[in-house]
Amino acid sequence: MPDVLVVGGGPAGMAAALAARRHGAEHVVLLEAGDDVGGQYWRHPPARHVDPDEGRWHHGWQRFLDLRSALRRDPRCEVVTNAHVWSVDRRDGAPPLVHAVIGEVDGQARVPRTFDPAALVLATGAQERTLPFPGWDLPGVFTAGAAQALAKGDRVAVGRRVLVTGSGPFLLPVVSSLVRVGARVVGVVEAAGAARLARGWGAKPWRLAATGGKAAELAGYLRVLAAHRIPYRVGAAVVAAHGDDRVEAVTVARLTPDWSPVPGTQRRVEVDAVCVGHGFVPRAELAISAGCALGEDGAVEVDDRQRTSVPGVFTAGELTGIGGVDLALAEGLVAGAAAAGGEPAPAALRRRAVFREFATRLAAAHAVGPGGRSWADDTTVVCRCEDVTAGALRRAAELTGSKGLRPLKLTTRAGLGLCQGRTCGPAVEDLLTGVLDPGRTAHRPIAVPVRLGELADHNRTGNREDVP
C-alpha cells in the first residue's frame, strides 16, 4: 500500500510525488497514462527518437529533466507509465481504492492493479474546449492542442497554410511549434477584444513582475510573430469553415464584447488547415467519482493545503482551475507535502499565490463569451461521434421538456459515442445553458475505455462492501 498515490505525471503530479517523498512518505507511486512523464506541457518524442535539441521546443526543459531524474533516482518512488486509471471506489473516511490497467493502450496483455493508498493526489490535468461552428467537423480542422501534440511529439505540421484561432495565450506556443515544423501561419485570431484584454491583463501590471519568466516567454512568441510577419487580430473569430472533402477556407468575423458575430464583417481566408482552441476545462472524471466537491466552473474545490472535500484526497494543477505550468508546479509541491503529513514550504505557498492571481487574470481576459453559443446553427454537428446537430439538441430539449442531461443523451445519443462526451460534453452544456439543470457531462464512472475481458477479470469483490 503506497503512503501517497499520485495520478497524473504532468508538472503537478511530478512535483507532488517528489514533495511527498521529501516530506516523509516512505513509498510513493506515480501513475502516468503515457509512456513517459511530462504531461502535455512537456510532451516530447518517444525515447527511441532522440532529439539532442529537444530543449528548443520547450520552456523550462531543464526543470523537467531535473524532476524526471529525481523521480528515477529515488528507489522509494515507483513511476508506473502506461497506467490507465479507469475507476475509483469510494470509502467512508478514507481515500478511494484506485483501479488501473497497466500496459499500452492497444496491448493485449494489460495487467490490472488496484491501489489502496493512505493519501491520494489527483493531478489529471485538463482537456481542450472548442466551440462548434459550421464546418468545424471538416478534415483539416484541428484543435490547437492536437496540432501542438503532432508538432512536438511527432514533428508533423497539420497543414501548409494554417490559421490559428480561439482564445488564450496557448495559441502562441502553437504558432511557434507550427512555424518550427514548416507550416506557414497566415494569422492568429483571438476572440477576446482589446478592452477585455486590457482589463484582464492591465490591472495593476506591476504585480505581473512576480511571475518572472512569463514576460520573457511572451517576448519570445512575439518575436516569432514578427519574424514570420504573422498578423495577430483581436476581437474576432473563425465562425465557419468551408470545403468539400477537407477545409479549403474559413470565414472570420469581428465579434461584439460578448463574442456575438458582427453582421457584415465576415471575410474569407484561404487555408488548408485551421487550429481552434477556446481554452481548457478540468479533467475531473476521477475527482467526481471520488466524491470531490466542484465549484461552479467545474474545478475541484480545495483548501489551503490542496485538500478536497474527501478525506485523504488532494488535487493539484489544472484540476483546481486553469492556471498554467507554474501554478501546477506550486500546487503539486503543496499537495505532495500535505499528503505526506508535512508542512508545505513557504516558497511554494508564495508561488501558488502569485500564479493564482495570474490564473484570475487569464480567466478575466479570455473566458468564453456567451455570444459563442450563436456560432452553431441548427445544421452544425455538435456530437461528432453520433452526428447530433445543434438543432436536434435544441428540439429534443424543447419537445421533451426535460431539464436532465441523461434524458437528453438517451433521446439524441449526444455523448454516447466513442468519446463518451469528452469532446462534445462542454459544448452541449454551453449550447443548452438555461435549459438543462446544472450537471456536468464529466460524470463518468468508467473514466477511460477498458475491454470487457479486463472488466470481467478484475477482482473487486473484496472491496465491494466498502462502496457506499
Side-chain angles (χ1 to χ4, degrees), residues 26 36 134 149 182 189-190 222 324 355 426 447 458 464:
E26 288 294 320
D36 197 357
V189 181
E190 161 66 54
L222 295 180
F355 285 100
H458 193 76
R464 188 165 296 280

Side-chain angles (χ1 to χ4, degrees), residues 163-190:
L163 188 139
V164 178
T165 183
S167 185
F170 178 61
L171 302 181
L172 296 177
V174 173
V175 171
S176 181
S177 296
L178 286 170
V179 168
R180 189 167 286 136
V181 292
R184 180 190 172 197
V185 179
V186 298
V188 182
V189 181
E190 161 66 54

Side-chain angles (χ1 to χ4, degrees), residues 64-448:
F64 163 71
L65 294 178
D66 292 342
L67 288 170
R68 185 175 66 176
S69 177
L71 288 168
R72 288 176 171 175
R73 286 197 311 268
D74 189 336
R76 293 185 179 275
C77 187
E78 179 187 3
V79 178
V80 185
T81 56
N82 290 307
H84 311 280
V85 177
W86 59 271
S87 181
V88 297
D89 286 348
R90 297 185 196 181
R91 295 181 296 177
D92 289 336
L97 295 175
V98 177
H99 304 289
V101 287
I102 315 299
E104 295 185 0
V105 172
D106 297 327
Q108 297 300 310
R110 299 197 294 183
V111 177
R113 288 184 69 176
T114 293
F115 298 89
D116 180 8
L120 171 65
V121 179
L122 295 173
T124 48
Q127 61 191 49
E128 280 191 280
R129 181 180 187 183
T130 304
L131 301 184
F133 52 82
W136 79 308
D137 51 337
L138 277 172
V141 180
F142 294 83
T143 66
Q148 178 78 326
L150 285 168
K152 292 175 70 173
D154 300 284
R155 307 296 194 254
V156 171
V158 295
R160 289 181 294 181
R161 183 179 169 84
V162 186
L163 188 139
V164 178
T165 183
S167 185
F170 178 61
L171 302 181
L172 296 177
V174 173
V175 171
S176 181
S177 296
L178 286 170
V179 168
R180 189 167 286 136
V181 292
R184 180 190 172 197
V185 179
V186 298
V188 182
V189 181
E190 161 66 54
R196 185 166 183 178
L197 292 171
R199 286 196 302 272
W201 292 110
K204 300 179 181 178
W206 61 90
R207 300 182 70 162
L208 285 170
T211 61
K214 290 295 182 186
E217 186 176 341
L218 175 62
Y221 296 137
L222 295 180
R223 282 196 296 272
V224 171
L225 294 178
H228 295 271
R229 298 185 177 182
I230 300 171
Y232 185 92
R233 183 181 178 187
V234 302
V238 169
V239 294
H242 314 285
D244 293 324
D245 298 327
R246 60 169 297 114
V247 64
E248 298 169 357
V250 295
T251 293
V252 176
R254 189 155 57 85
L255 300 180
T256 64
D258 80 341
W259 289 28
S260 297
V262 177
T265 63
Q266 292 86 351
R267 67 184 181 90
R268 186 180 175 99
V269 179
E270 307 296 324
V271 297
D272 64 7
V274 56
C275 303
V276 187
H278 298 102
F280 299 87
V281 293
R283 190 164 188 175
E285 295 102 324
L286 294 177
I288 292 171
S289 294
C292 300
L294 305 183
E296 292 183 358
D297 59 354
V300 178
E301 294 182 338
V302 293
D303 67 4
D304 64 345
R305 293 297 183 266
Q306 301 296 132
R307 288 180 290 238
T308 73
S309 59
V310 179
V313 178
F314 303 74
T315 67
E318 310 288 57
L319 198 52
T320 67
I322 308 304
V325 63
D326 295 287
L327 180 57
L329 287 165
E331 289 192 345
L333 292 174
V334 175
E343 188 64 23
L349 296 172
R350 287 194 297 271
R351 283 189 66 78
R352 184 182 65 178
V354 167
F355 285 100
R356 279 187 174 173
E357 181 180 334
F358 183 85
T360 301
R361 291 174 181 269
L362 183 69
H366 300 282
V368 172
R373 297 175 199 139
S374 66
W375 300 359
D377 62 25
D378 279 352
T379 66
T380 303
V381 173
V382 177
C383 172
R384 298 165 65 156
C385 296
E386 296 289 327
D387 281 334
V388 182
T389 65
L393 289 165
R394 291 168 176 143
R395 284 192 297 275
E398 179 182 353
L399 292 173
T400 63
S402 173
K403 294 186 175 182
L405 184 61
R406 179 180 170 82
L408 183 78
K409 292 170 71 175
L410 294 176
T411 303
T412 65
R413 293 198 57 77
L416 295 180
L418 184 63
C419 87
Q420 288 289 288
R422 290 175 178 81
T423 301
C424 68
V428 170
E429 292 186 23
D430 278 347
L431 199 66
L432 300 178
T433 297
V435 178
L436 292 177
D437 283 334
R440 294 190 55 76
T441 51
H443 284 267
R444 195 170 295 117
I446 296 181
V448 299

Side-chain angles (χ1 to χ4, degrees), residues 4-20:
V4 177
L5 175 68
V6 181
V7 180
M14 297 171 76
L18 287 171

